[in-house]
PDB file of all heavy atoms in Angstrom:
ATOM      1  N   VAL A 317     -16.965  63.553  40.114  1.00 95.00           N
ATOM      2  CA  VAL A 317     -16.772  63.551  41.557  1.00 95.00           C
ATOM      3  C   VAL A 317     -17.675  64.632  42.137  1.00 95.00           C
ATOM      4  O   VAL A 317     -17.642  65.781  41.716  1.00 95.00           O
ATOM      5  CB  VAL A 317     -15.294  63.806  41.924  1.00 95.00           C
ATOM      6  CG1 VAL A 317     -15.127  64.014  43.419  1.00 95.00           C
ATOM      7  CG2 VAL A 317     -14.429  62.649  41.443  1.00 95.00           C
ATOM      8  N   ARG A 318     -18.513  64.235  43.100  1.00 94.00           N
ATOM      9  CA  ARG A 318     -19.472  65.155  43.725  1.00 94.00           C
ATOM     10  C   ARG A 318     -19.095  65.525  45.142  1.00 94.00           C
ATOM     11  O   ARG A 318     -19.702  66.397  45.738  1.00 94.00           O
ATOM     12  CB  ARG A 318     -20.865  64.530  43.706  1.00 94.00           C
ATOM     13  CG  ARG A 318     -21.368  64.159  42.320  1.00 94.00           C
ATOM     14  CD  ARG A 318     -21.592  65.341  41.473  1.00 94.00           C
ATOM     15  NE  ARG A 318     -22.767  66.032  41.974  1.00 94.00           N
ATOM     16  CZ  ARG A 318     -23.211  67.178  41.502  1.00 94.00           C
ATOM     17  NH1 ARG A 318     -22.584  67.769  40.540  1.00 94.00           N
ATOM     18  NH2 ARG A 318     -24.276  67.744  42.016  1.00 94.00           N
ATOM     19  N   GLY A 319     -18.087  64.846  45.690  1.00 93.00           N
ATOM     20  CA  GLY A 319     -17.626  65.162  47.030  1.00 93.00           C
ATOM     21  C   GLY A 319     -16.231  64.616  47.240  1.00 93.00           C
ATOM     22  O   GLY A 319     -15.846  63.618  46.624  1.00 93.00           O
ATOM     23  N   CYS A 320     -15.459  65.286  48.072  1.00 94.00           N
ATOM     24  CA  CYS A 320     -14.126  64.799  48.420  1.00 94.00           C
ATOM     25  C   CYS A 320     -13.738  65.404  49.764  1.00 94.00           C
ATOM     26  O   CYS A 320     -14.296  66.418  50.188  1.00 94.00           O
ATOM     27  CB  CYS A 320     -13.095  65.132  47.347  1.00 94.00           C
ATOM     28  SG  CYS A 320     -12.828  66.881  47.026  1.00 94.00           S
ATOM     29  N   GLY A 321     -12.810  64.751  50.420  1.00 94.00           N
ATOM     30  CA  GLY A 321     -12.382  65.247  51.710  1.00 94.00           C
ATOM     31  C   GLY A 321     -11.105  64.590  52.175  1.00 94.00           C
ATOM     32  O   GLY A 321     -10.625  63.632  51.566  1.00 94.00           O
ATOM     33  N   VAL A 322     -10.578  65.123  53.252  1.00 94.00           N
ATOM     34  CA  VAL A 322      -9.331  64.669  53.851  1.00 94.00           C
ATOM     35  C   VAL A 322      -9.646  64.249  55.281  1.00 94.00           C
ATOM     36  O   VAL A 322     -10.401  64.929  55.972  1.00 94.00           O
ATOM     37  CB  VAL A 322      -8.300  65.815  53.857  1.00 94.00           C
ATOM     38  CG1 VAL A 322      -7.004  65.367  54.490  1.00 94.00           C
ATOM     39  CG2 VAL A 322      -8.069  66.345  52.451  1.00 94.00           C
ATOM     40  N   PHE A 323      -9.100  63.118  55.717  1.00 93.00           N
ATOM     41  CA  PHE A 323      -9.303  62.694  57.099  1.00 93.00           C
ATOM     42  C   PHE A 323      -8.094  61.924  57.594  1.00 93.00           C
ATOM     43  O   PHE A 323      -7.110  61.775  56.864  1.00 93.00           O
ATOM     44  CB  PHE A 323     -10.612  61.901  57.254  1.00 93.00           C
ATOM     45  CG  PHE A 323     -10.663  60.578  56.548  1.00 93.00           C
ATOM     46  CD1 PHE A 323     -10.565  59.408  57.275  1.00 93.00           C
ATOM     47  CD2 PHE A 323     -10.829  60.494  55.169  1.00 93.00           C
ATOM     48  CE1 PHE A 323     -10.626  58.176  56.639  1.00 93.00           C
ATOM     49  CE2 PHE A 323     -10.896  59.273  54.530  1.00 93.00           C
ATOM     50  CZ  PHE A 323     -10.787  58.105  55.269  1.00 93.00           C
ATOM     51  N   ASP A 324      -8.168  61.470  58.846  1.00 91.00           N
ATOM     52  CA  ASP A 324      -7.079  60.746  59.494  1.00 91.00           C
ATOM     53  C   ASP A 324      -5.785  61.572  59.467  1.00 91.00           C
ATOM     54  O   ASP A 324      -4.727  61.070  59.096  1.00 91.00           O
ATOM     55  CB  ASP A 324      -6.883  59.372  58.855  1.00 91.00           C
ATOM     56  CG  ASP A 324      -6.041  58.438  59.707  1.00 91.00           C
ATOM     57  OD1 ASP A 324      -5.831  58.734  60.896  1.00 91.00           O
ATOM     58  OD2 ASP A 324      -5.569  57.414  59.171  1.00 91.00           O
ATOM     59  N   GLY A 325      -5.919  62.845  59.833  1.00 88.00           N
ATOM     60  CA  GLY A 325      -4.744  63.716  59.909  1.00 88.00           C
ATOM     61  C   GLY A 325      -4.084  64.002  58.581  1.00 88.00           C
ATOM     62  O   GLY A 325      -2.909  64.338  58.525  1.00 88.00           O
ATOM     63  N   GLY A 326      -4.827  63.846  57.475  1.00 89.00           N
ATOM     64  CA  GLY A 326      -4.270  64.087  56.149  1.00 89.00           C
ATOM     65  C   GLY A 326      -3.648  62.861  55.518  1.00 89.00           C
ATOM     66  O   GLY A 326      -3.100  62.931  54.422  1.00 89.00           O
ATOM     67  N   ARG A 327      -3.763  61.717  56.192  1.00 89.00           N
ATOM     68  CA  ARG A 327      -3.191  60.479  55.645  1.00 89.00           C
ATOM     69  C   ARG A 327      -4.135  59.755  54.699  1.00 89.00           C
ATOM     70  O   ARG A 327      -3.733  58.827  54.004  1.00 89.00           O
ATOM     71  CB  ARG A 327      -2.764  59.559  56.780  1.00 89.00           C
ATOM     72  CG  ARG A 327      -1.545  60.082  57.540  1.00 89.00           C
ATOM     73  CD  ARG A 327      -1.074  59.116  58.602  1.00 89.00           C
ATOM     74  NE  ARG A 327      -2.025  58.988  59.687  1.00 89.00           N
ATOM     75  CZ  ARG A 327      -2.090  59.807  60.740  1.00 89.00           C
ATOM     76  NH1 ARG A 327      -1.262  60.812  60.833  1.00 89.00           N
ATOM     77  NH2 ARG A 327      -2.973  59.612  61.693  1.00 89.00           N
ATOM     78  N   LYS A 328      -5.399  60.182  54.674  1.00 92.00           N
ATOM     79  CA  LYS A 328      -6.377  59.546  53.791  1.00 92.00           C
ATOM     80  C   LYS A 328      -7.248  60.616  53.143  1.00 92.00           C
ATOM     81  O   LYS A 328      -7.538  61.644  53.755  1.00 92.00           O
ATOM     82  CB  LYS A 328      -7.266  58.577  54.577  1.00 92.00           C
ATOM     83  CG  LYS A 328      -6.515  57.399  55.154  1.00 92.00           C
ATOM     84  CD  LYS A 328      -7.431  56.501  55.950  1.00 92.00           C
ATOM     85  CE  LYS A 328      -6.632  55.362  56.593  1.00 92.00           C
ATOM     86  NZ  LYS A 328      -7.465  54.561  57.472  1.00 92.00           N
TER      87      LYS A 328
END
Side-chain angles (χ1 to χ4, degrees):
V317 171
R318 303 294 289 176
C320 62
V322 179
F323 66 106
D324 196 14
R327 290 184 292 275
K328 295 178 183 174

